[in-house]
Amino acid sequence: MVRNEAGKLFRDHVERSLGELEAGRRAVAEATSEGLGTVRLASETFLTLTGPLAAYKRARPSVEIELHWSPAEDMARHLRAQDVDLCIASQPIHAEGLASVKLFDEAVGVATPLDHPLARRTSVSVDELAGQPFITARKGHWQRRLLDRLFAARGLTPEIVCESDEPAAIAELISAGLGIGLVPAFALRSATRATAAWISVDSPDCRRTVTLYWGADSHLSTAARLMRTTIANWNWTAGD
């Protein structure tokens, strides 16, 4: 145990040292050029971010934007090492040295095929979902963690018939009648959402809080600071 703790402590120092070297390289590159620099953004899903990303790119077409998919559990490490500038997570990141701003909080419901027995309901309990075939994301993704947490709190285990890394595929498979799945309220405003019923889950814990994170002591390029401002000030209710 002591050896593991010492190894973790050493790893954290190495990650911070490498991150400072990378930050120094980028700061020099930015200072000796006329551009705004680059911005590197990691997220569990980018479907939520299409609005602010599109607006940012329209306003600053010359800025290079790097998008990285990452599970929330890896984000603190990436930020400490300064592999990325900003992270957006749909579940809390408990780590030291991070600054954050909450973007929005919303309900997560269950999506079902239109001809499903639950489709005409306005709400459903977690107990009623036991035994239903779930189509969900892989372990580590916020939707899967929420599903497992909701069921575990009641001594239940969800029946998972399909795991996918593609949100669009999950929605299409639900619409095709192959199962049901947890879907955030935000998806109801998506122009590309599949045809399915969305039912409220009768649990105060069936929600997600989307948060923007960055290293509290990290040097952010001008491009990254502008991206942080764009995302933090975005009107998530109206979509602009």
Side-chain angles (χ1 to χ4, degrees), residues 94-125:
H94 303 292
E96 295 181 357
L98 301 184
S100 65
V101 60
K102 186 174 81 170
L103 301 179
F104 63 91
D105 177 86
E106 67 171 354
V108 176
V110 61
T112 73
L114 293 178
D115 60 353
H116 192 277
L118 296 175
R120 294 183 179 274
R121 297 276 296 275
T122 56
S123 67
V124 63
S125 69

PDB file of all heavy atoms in Angstrom, residues 94-125:
ATOM      1  N   HIS A  94     -13.335  14.563  -8.987  1.00  0.00           N
ATOM      2  CA  HIS A  94     -12.829  14.843  -7.654  1.00  0.00           C
ATOM      3  C   HIS A  94     -11.307  14.767  -7.687  1.00  0.00           C
ATOM      4  O   HIS A  94     -10.715  13.700  -7.586  1.00  0.00           O
ATOM      5  CB  HIS A  94     -13.413  13.852  -6.653  1.00  0.00           C
ATOM      6  CG  HIS A  94     -14.914  13.840  -6.605  1.00  0.00           C
ATOM      7  ND1 HIS A  94     -15.649  14.898  -6.126  1.00  0.00           N
ATOM      8  CD2 HIS A  94     -15.812  12.906  -7.014  1.00  0.00           C
ATOM      9  CE1 HIS A  94     -16.942  14.624  -6.215  1.00  0.00           C
ATOM     10  NE2 HIS A  94     -17.069  13.431  -6.750  1.00  0.00           N
ATOM     11  N   ALA A  95     -10.664  15.907  -7.860  1.00  0.00           N
ATOM     12  CA  ALA A  95      -9.207  15.961  -7.939  1.00  0.00           C
ATOM     13  C   ALA A  95      -8.736  17.346  -7.535  1.00  0.00           C
ATOM     14  O   ALA A  95      -9.443  18.338  -7.751  1.00  0.00           O
ATOM     15  CB  ALA A  95      -8.719  15.616  -9.346  1.00  0.00           C
ATOM     16  N   GLU A  96      -7.548  17.400  -6.970  1.00  0.00           N
ATOM     17  CA  GLU A  96      -6.980  18.682  -6.566  1.00  0.00           C
ATOM     18  C   GLU A  96      -6.384  19.403  -7.776  1.00  0.00           C
ATOM     19  O   GLU A  96      -6.037  18.787  -8.779  1.00  0.00           O
ATOM     20  CB  GLU A  96      -5.890  18.459  -5.518  1.00  0.00           C
ATOM     21  CG  GLU A  96      -6.404  17.873  -4.204  1.00  0.00           C
ATOM     22  CD  GLU A  96      -5.285  17.690  -3.196  1.00  0.00           C
ATOM     23  OE1 GLU A  96      -4.114  17.973  -3.542  1.00  0.00           O
ATOM     24  OE2 GLU A  96      -5.576  17.257  -2.068  1.00  0.00           O
ATOM     25  N   GLY A  97      -6.282  20.711  -7.657  1.00  0.00           N
ATOM     26  CA  GLY A  97      -5.611  21.498  -8.678  1.00  0.00           C
ATOM     27  C   GLY A  97      -6.449  21.847  -9.889  1.00  0.00           C
ATOM     28  O   GLY A  97      -5.907  22.312 -10.893  1.00  0.00           O
ATOM     29  N   LEU A  98      -7.755  21.649  -9.796  1.00  0.00           N
ATOM     30  CA  LEU A  98      -8.636  21.961 -10.924  1.00  0.00           C
ATOM     31  C   LEU A  98      -9.556  23.124 -10.576  1.00  0.00           C
ATOM     32  O   LEU A  98     -10.012  23.263  -9.442  1.00  0.00           O
ATOM     33  CB  LEU A  98      -9.490  20.747 -11.311  1.00  0.00           C
ATOM     34  CG  LEU A  98      -8.766  19.466 -11.719  1.00  0.00           C
ATOM     35  CD1 LEU A  98      -9.781  18.416 -12.152  1.00  0.00           C
ATOM     36  CD2 LEU A  98      -7.759  19.724 -12.817  1.00  0.00           C
ATOM     37  N   ALA A  99      -9.812  23.958 -11.564  1.00  0.00           N
ATOM     38  CA  ALA A  99     -10.826  24.994 -11.453  1.00  0.00           C
ATOM     39  C   ALA A  99     -12.008  24.578 -12.327  1.00  0.00           C
ATOM     40  O   ALA A  99     -11.840  23.802 -13.275  1.00  0.00           O
ATOM     41  CB  ALA A  99     -10.275  26.342 -11.907  1.00  0.00           C
ATOM     42  N   SER A 100     -13.189  25.081 -12.008  1.00  0.00           N
ATOM     43  CA  SER A 100     -14.355  24.620 -12.762  1.00  0.00           C
ATOM     44  C   SER A 100     -15.470  25.654 -12.735  1.00  0.00           C
ATOM     45  O   SER A 100     -15.494  26.552 -11.889  1.00  0.00           O
ATOM     46  CB  SER A 100     -14.878  23.303 -12.179  1.00  0.00           C
ATOM     47  OG  SER A 100     -15.371  23.494 -10.859  1.00  0.00           O
ATOM     48  N   VAL A 101     -16.394  25.494 -13.675  1.00  0.00           N
ATOM     49  CA  VAL A 101     -17.629  26.272 -13.694  1.00  0.00           C
ATOM     50  C   VAL A 101     -18.748  25.350 -14.173  1.00  0.00           C
ATOM     51  O   VAL A 101     -18.587  24.617 -15.149  1.00  0.00           O
ATOM     52  CB  VAL A 101     -17.509  27.514 -14.607  1.00  0.00           C
ATOM     53  CG1 VAL A 101     -17.197  27.125 -16.046  1.00  0.00           C
ATOM     54  CG2 VAL A 101     -18.791  28.338 -14.568  1.00  0.00           C
ATOM     55  N   LYS A 102     -19.858  25.345 -13.444  1.00  0.00           N
ATOM     56  CA  LYS A 102     -20.994  24.506 -13.834  1.00  0.00           C
ATOM     57  C   LYS A 102     -21.688  25.123 -15.030  1.00  0.00           C
ATOM     58  O   LYS A 102     -21.999  26.323 -15.023  1.00  0.00           O
ATOM     59  CB  LYS A 102     -21.973  24.339 -12.672  1.00  0.00           C
ATOM     60  CG  LYS A 102     -23.098  23.360 -12.985  1.00  0.00           C
ATOM     61  CD  LYS A 102     -23.973  23.091 -11.780  1.00  0.00           C
ATOM     62  CE  LYS A 102     -24.982  24.191 -11.574  1.00  0.00           C
ATOM     63  NZ  LYS A 102     -26.002  23.842 -10.556  1.00  0.00           N
ATOM     64  N   LEU A 103     -21.933  24.318 -16.057  1.00  0.00           N
ATOM     65  CA  LEU A 103     -22.594  24.810 -17.266  1.00  0.00           C
ATOM     66  C   LEU A 103     -24.114  24.670 -17.169  1.00  0.00           C
ATOM     67  O   LEU A 103     -24.842  25.628 -17.380  1.00  0.00           O
ATOM     68  CB  LEU A 103     -22.062  24.066 -18.490  1.00  0.00           C
ATOM     69  CG  LEU A 103     -20.545  24.181 -18.719  1.00  0.00           C
ATOM     70  CD1 LEU A 103     -20.133  23.388 -19.943  1.00  0.00           C
ATOM     71  CD2 LEU A 103     -20.126  25.641 -18.854  1.00  0.00           C
ATOM     72  N   PHE A 104     -24.579  23.479 -16.865  1.00  0.00           N
ATOM     73  CA  PHE A 104     -26.013  23.293 -16.669  1.00  0.00           C
ATOM     74  C   PHE A 104     -26.281  21.967 -15.966  1.00  0.00           C
ATOM     75  O   PHE A 104     -25.428  21.073 -15.932  1.00  0.00           O
ATOM     76  CB  PHE A 104     -26.788  23.356 -17.990  1.00  0.00           C
ATOM     77  CG  PHE A 104     -26.444  22.283 -18.982  1.00  0.00           C
ATOM     78  CD1 PHE A 104     -27.133  21.076 -19.003  1.00  0.00           C
ATOM     79  CD2 PHE A 104     -25.435  22.470 -19.916  1.00  0.00           C
ATOM     80  CE1 PHE A 104     -26.826  20.083 -19.925  1.00  0.00           C
ATOM     81  CE2 PHE A 104     -25.115  21.489 -20.845  1.00  0.00           C
ATOM     82  CZ  PHE A 104     -25.813  20.294 -20.847  1.00  0.00           C
ATOM     83  N   ASP A 105     -27.464  21.875 -15.405  1.00  0.00           N
ATOM     84  CA  ASP A 105     -27.930  20.659 -14.730  1.00  0.00           C
ATOM     85  C   ASP A 105     -29.272  20.290 -15.352  1.00  0.00           C
ATOM     86  O   ASP A 105     -30.101  21.171 -15.595  1.00  0.00           O
ATOM     87  CB  ASP A 105     -28.081  20.920 -13.230  1.00  0.00           C
ATOM     88  CG  ASP A 105     -28.632  19.713 -12.489  1.00  0.00           C
ATOM     89  OD1 ASP A 105     -27.843  18.846 -12.105  1.00  0.00           O
ATOM     90  OD2 ASP A 105     -29.865  19.647 -12.299  1.00  0.00           O
ATOM     91  N   GLU A 106     -29.465  19.014 -15.631  1.00  0.00           N
ATOM     92  CA  GLU A 106     -30.708  18.624 -16.301  1.00  0.00           C
ATOM     93  C   GLU A 106     -31.137  17.223 -15.911  1.00  0.00           C
ATOM     94  O   GLU A 106     -30.345  16.407 -15.429  1.00  0.00           O
ATOM     95  CB  GLU A 106     -30.528  18.690 -17.822  1.00  0.00           C
ATOM     96  CG  GLU A 106     -29.571  17.666 -18.370  1.00  0.00           C
ATOM     97  CD  GLU A 106     -29.576  17.609 -19.890  1.00  0.00           C
ATOM     98  OE1 GLU A 106     -30.411  18.287 -20.510  1.00  0.00           O
ATOM     99  OE2 GLU A 106     -28.736  16.871 -20.446  1.00  0.00           O
ATOM    100  N   ALA A 107     -32.410  16.971 -16.139  1.00  0.00           N
ATOM    101  CA  ALA A 107     -32.957  15.643 -15.890  1.00  0.00           C
ATOM    102  C   ALA A 107     -32.491  14.666 -16.967  1.00  0.00           C
ATOM    103  O   ALA A 107     -32.245  15.048 -18.109  1.00  0.00           O
ATOM    104  CB  ALA A 107     -34.481  15.707 -15.873  1.00  0.00           C
ATOM    105  N   VAL A 108     -32.385  13.415 -16.580  1.00  0.00           N
ATOM    106  CA  VAL A 108     -32.107  12.329 -17.514  1.00  0.00           C
ATOM    107  C   VAL A 108     -33.307  11.391 -17.466  1.00  0.00           C
ATOM    108  O   VAL A 108     -33.731  10.967 -16.386  1.00  0.00           O
ATOM    109  CB  VAL A 108     -30.819  11.572 -17.142  1.00  0.00           C
ATOM    110  CG1 VAL A 108     -30.607  10.382 -18.084  1.00  0.00           C
ATOM    111  CG2 VAL A 108     -29.612  12.508 -17.191  1.00  0.00           C
ATOM    112  N   GLY A 109     -33.891  11.138 -18.613  1.00  0.00           N
ATOM    113  CA  GLY A 109     -35.054  10.264 -18.671  1.00  0.00           C
ATOM    114  C   GLY A 109     -34.723   8.949 -19.353  1.00  0.00           C
ATOM    115  O   GLY A 109     -33.569   8.668 -19.669  1.00  0.00           O
ATOM    116  N   VAL A 110     -35.734   8.143 -19.564  1.00  0.00           N
ATOM    117  CA  VAL A 110     -35.544   6.883 -20.270  1.00  0.00           C
ATOM    118  C   VAL A 110     -36.242   6.978 -21.623  1.00  0.00           C
ATOM    119  O   VAL A 110     -37.380   7.430 -21.721  1.00  0.00           O
ATOM    120  CB  VAL A 110     -36.064   5.676 -19.452  1.00  0.00           C
ATOM    121  CG1 VAL A 110     -37.560   5.808 -19.175  1.00  0.00           C
ATOM    122  CG2 VAL A 110     -35.760   4.361 -20.158  1.00  0.00           C
ATOM    123  N   ALA A 111     -35.530   6.614 -22.670  1.00  0.00           N
ATOM    124  CA  ALA A 111     -36.086   6.607 -24.020  1.00  0.00           C
ATOM    125  C   ALA A 111     -36.539   5.196 -24.356  1.00  0.00           C
ATOM    126  O   ALA A 111     -35.838   4.219 -24.050  1.00  0.00           O
ATOM    127  CB  ALA A 111     -35.044   7.086 -25.025  1.00  0.00           C
ATOM    128  N   THR A 112     -37.702   5.104 -24.980  1.00  0.00           N
ATOM    129  CA  THR A 112     -38.234   3.800 -25.371  1.00  0.00           C
ATOM    130  C   THR A 112     -38.746   3.877 -26.806  1.00  0.00           C
ATOM    131  O   THR A 112     -39.037   4.962 -27.314  1.00  0.00           O
ATOM    132  CB  THR A 112     -39.422   3.376 -24.469  1.00  0.00           C
ATOM    133  OG1 THR A 112     -40.575   4.167 -24.807  1.00  0.00           O
ATOM    134  CG2 THR A 112     -39.091   3.559 -22.996  1.00  0.00           C
ATOM    135  N   PRO A 113     -38.886   2.733 -27.474  1.00  0.00           N
ATOM    136  CA  PRO A 113     -39.555   2.741 -28.780  1.00  0.00           C
ATOM    137  C   PRO A 113     -40.992   3.266 -28.620  1.00  0.00           C
ATOM    138  O   PRO A 113     -41.584   3.164 -27.536  1.00  0.00           O
ATOM    139  CB  PRO A 113     -39.549   1.265 -29.195  1.00  0.00           C
ATOM    140  CG  PRO A 113     -38.459   0.643 -28.378  1.00  0.00           C
ATOM    141  CD  PRO A 113     -38.422   1.389 -27.083  1.00  0.00           C
ATOM    142  N   LEU A 114     -41.555   3.817 -29.670  1.00  0.00           N
ATOM    143  CA  LEU A 114     -42.890   4.412 -29.588  1.00  0.00           C
ATOM    144  C   LEU A 114     -43.971   3.393 -29.253  1.00  0.00           C
ATOM    145  O   LEU A 114     -45.021   3.751 -28.696  1.00  0.00           O
ATOM    146  CB  LEU A 114     -43.222   5.113 -30.911  1.00  0.00           C
ATOM    147  CG  LEU A 114     -42.378   6.352 -31.223  1.00  0.00           C
ATOM    148  CD1 LEU A 114     -42.759   6.920 -32.585  1.00  0.00           C
ATOM    149  CD2 LEU A 114     -42.539   7.407 -30.142  1.00  0.00           C
ATOM    150  N   ASP A 115     -43.744   2.121 -29.604  1.00  0.00           N
ATOM    151  CA  ASP A 115     -44.759   1.097 -29.324  1.00  0.00           C
ATOM    152  C   ASP A 115     -44.467   0.327 -28.044  1.00  0.00           C
ATOM    153  O   ASP A 115     -45.074  -0.706 -27.767  1.00  0.00           O
ATOM    154  CB  ASP A 115     -44.880   0.131 -30.503  1.00  0.00           C
ATOM    155  CG  ASP A 115     -43.558  -0.585 -30.804  1.00  0.00           C
ATOM    156  OD1 ASP A 115     -42.526  -0.233 -30.181  1.00  0.00           O
ATOM    157  OD2 ASP A 115     -43.564  -1.480 -31.663  1.00  0.00           O
ATOM    158  N   HIS A 116     -43.556   0.817 -27.222  1.00  0.00           N
ATOM    159  CA  HIS A 116     -43.206   0.143 -25.972  1.00  0.00           C
ATOM    160  C   HIS A 116     -44.323   0.334 -24.946  1.00  0.00           C
ATOM    161  O   HIS A 116     -44.999   1.377 -24.932  1.00  0.00           O
ATOM    162  CB  HIS A 116     -41.893   0.726 -25.434  1.00  0.00           C
ATOM    163  CG  HIS A 116     -41.291  -0.070 -24.319  1.00  0.00           C
ATOM    164  ND1 HIS A 116     -41.686   0.053 -23.005  1.00  0.00           N
ATOM    165  CD2 HIS A 116     -40.298  -1.017 -24.331  1.00  0.00           C
ATOM    166  CE1 HIS A 116     -40.970  -0.773 -22.246  1.00  0.00           C
ATOM    167  NE2 HIS A 116     -40.125  -1.419 -23.025  1.00  0.00           N
ATOM    168  N   PRO A 117     -44.573  -0.648 -24.067  1.00  0.00           N
ATOM    169  CA  PRO A 117     -45.634  -0.511 -23.054  1.00  0.00           C
ATOM    170  C   PRO A 117     -45.481   0.716 -22.155  1.00  0.00           C
ATOM    171  O   PRO A 117     -46.475   1.234 -21.634  1.00  0.00           O
ATOM    172  CB  PRO A 117     -45.507  -1.802 -22.239  1.00  0.00           C
ATOM    173  CG  PRO A 117     -44.925  -2.791 -23.198  1.00  0.00           C
ATOM    174  CD  PRO A 117     -43.983  -2.001 -24.066  1.00  0.00           C
ATOM    175  N   LEU A 118     -44.240   1.209 -21.970  1.00  0.00           N
ATOM    176  CA  LEU A 118     -44.022   2.371 -21.117  1.00  0.00           C
ATOM    177  C   LEU A 118     -44.121   3.698 -21.873  1.00  0.00           C
ATOM    178  O   LEU A 118     -44.090   4.765 -21.260  1.00  0.00           O
ATOM    179  CB  LEU A 118     -42.638   2.292 -20.463  1.00  0.00           C
ATOM    180  CG  LEU A 118     -42.385   1.131 -19.499  1.00  0.00           C
ATOM    181  CD1 LEU A 118     -40.919   1.145 -19.059  1.00  0.00           C
ATOM    182  CD2 LEU A 118     -43.312   1.209 -18.281  1.00  0.00           C
ATOM    183  N   ALA A 119     -44.258   3.638 -23.174  1.00  0.00           N
ATOM    184  CA  ALA A 119     -44.142   4.836 -24.001  1.00  0.00           C
ATOM    185  C   ALA A 119     -45.194   5.900 -23.696  1.00  0.00           C
ATOM    186  O   ALA A 119     -44.945   7.092 -23.885  1.00  0.00           O
ATOM    187  CB  ALA A 119     -44.199   4.458 -25.485  1.00  0.00           C
ATOM    188  N   ARG A 120     -46.360   5.496 -23.217  1.00  0.00           N
ATOM    189  CA  ARG A 120     -47.426   6.459 -22.948  1.00  0.00           C
ATOM    190  C   ARG A 120     -47.379   6.989 -21.515  1.00  0.00           C
ATOM    191  O   ARG A 120     -48.187   7.847 -21.143  1.00  0.00           O
ATOM    192  CB  ARG A 120     -48.799   5.821 -23.213  1.00  0.00           C
ATOM    193  CG  ARG A 120     -49.017   5.479 -24.683  1.00  0.00           C
ATOM    194  CD  ARG A 120     -50.408   4.920 -24.906  1.00  0.00           C
ATOM    195  NE  ARG A 120     -50.624   4.604 -26.313  1.00  0.00           N
ATOM    196  CZ  ARG A 120     -51.047   5.482 -27.210  1.00  0.00           C
ATOM    197  NH1 ARG A 120     -51.298   6.726 -26.842  1.00  0.00           N
ATOM    198  NH2 ARG A 120     -51.227   5.121 -28.465  1.00  0.00           N
ATOM    199  N   ARG A 121     -46.438   6.504 -20.738  1.00  0.00           N
ATOM    200  CA  ARG A 121     -46.318   6.962 -19.361  1.00  0.00           C
ATOM    201  C   ARG A 121     -45.637   8.330 -19.304  1.00  0.00           C
ATOM    202  O   ARG A 121     -44.839   8.687 -20.165  1.00  0.00           O
ATOM    203  CB  ARG A 121     -45.494   5.947 -18.564  1.00  0.00           C
ATOM    204  CG  ARG A 121     -46.126   4.558 -18.454  1.00  0.00           C
ATOM    205  CD  ARG A 121     -47.113   4.502 -17.325  1.00  0.00           C
ATOM    206  NE  ARG A 121     -46.435   4.707 -16.049  1.00  0.00           N
ATOM    207  CZ  ARG A 121     -45.838   3.715 -15.350  1.00  0.00           C
ATOM    208  NH1 ARG A 121     -45.850   2.470 -15.812  1.00  0.00           N
ATOM    209  NH2 ARG A 121     -45.269   3.970 -14.192  1.00  0.00           N
ATOM    210  N   THR A 122     -45.953   9.107 -18.267  1.00  0.00           N
ATOM    211  CA  THR A 122     -45.273  10.386 -18.067  1.00  0.00           C
ATOM    212  C   THR A 122     -44.064  10.237 -17.145  1.00  0.00           C
ATOM    213  O   THR A 122     -43.150  11.058 -17.171  1.00  0.00           O
ATOM    214  CB  THR A 122     -46.229  11.432 -17.469  1.00  0.00           C
ATOM    215  OG1 THR A 122     -46.781  10.924 -16.243  1.00  0.00           O
ATOM    216  CG2 THR A 122     -47.365  11.729 -18.448  1.00  0.00           C
ATOM    217  N   SER A 123     -44.074   9.185 -16.328  1.00  0.00           N
ATOM    218  CA  SER A 123     -42.941   8.914 -15.461  1.00  0.00           C
ATOM    219  C   SER A 123     -42.888   7.429 -15.147  1.00  0.00           C
ATOM    220  O   SER A 123     -43.890   6.705 -15.293  1.00  0.00           O
ATOM    221  CB  SER A 123     -43.034   9.727 -14.159  1.00  0.00           C
ATOM    222  OG  SER A 123     -44.131   9.300 -13.380  1.00  0.00           O
ATOM    223  N   VAL A 124     -41.717   6.981 -14.705  1.00  0.00           N
ATOM    224  CA  VAL A 124     -41.521   5.569 -14.394  1.00  0.00           C
ATOM    225  C   VAL A 124     -40.504   5.474 -13.265  1.00  0.00           C
ATOM    226  O   VAL A 124     -39.604   6.317 -13.151  1.00  0.00           O
ATOM    227  CB  VAL A 124     -41.031   4.798 -15.649  1.00  0.00           C
ATOM    228  CG1 VAL A 124     -39.671   5.302 -16.103  1.00  0.00           C
ATOM    229  CG2 VAL A 124     -40.999   3.303 -15.399  1.00  0.00           C
ATOM    230  N   SER A 125     -40.658   4.485 -12.402  1.00  0.00           N
ATOM    231  CA  SER A 125     -39.714   4.293 -11.305  1.00  0.00           C
ATOM    232  C   SER A 125     -38.564   3.401 -11.757  1.00  0.00           C
ATOM    233  O   SER A 125     -38.684   2.656 -12.747  1.00  0.00           O
ATOM    234  CB  SER A 125     -40.416   3.657 -10.100  1.00  0.00           C
ATOM    235  OG  SER A 125     -40.766   2.310 -10.390  1.00  0.00           O
TER     236      SER A 125
END
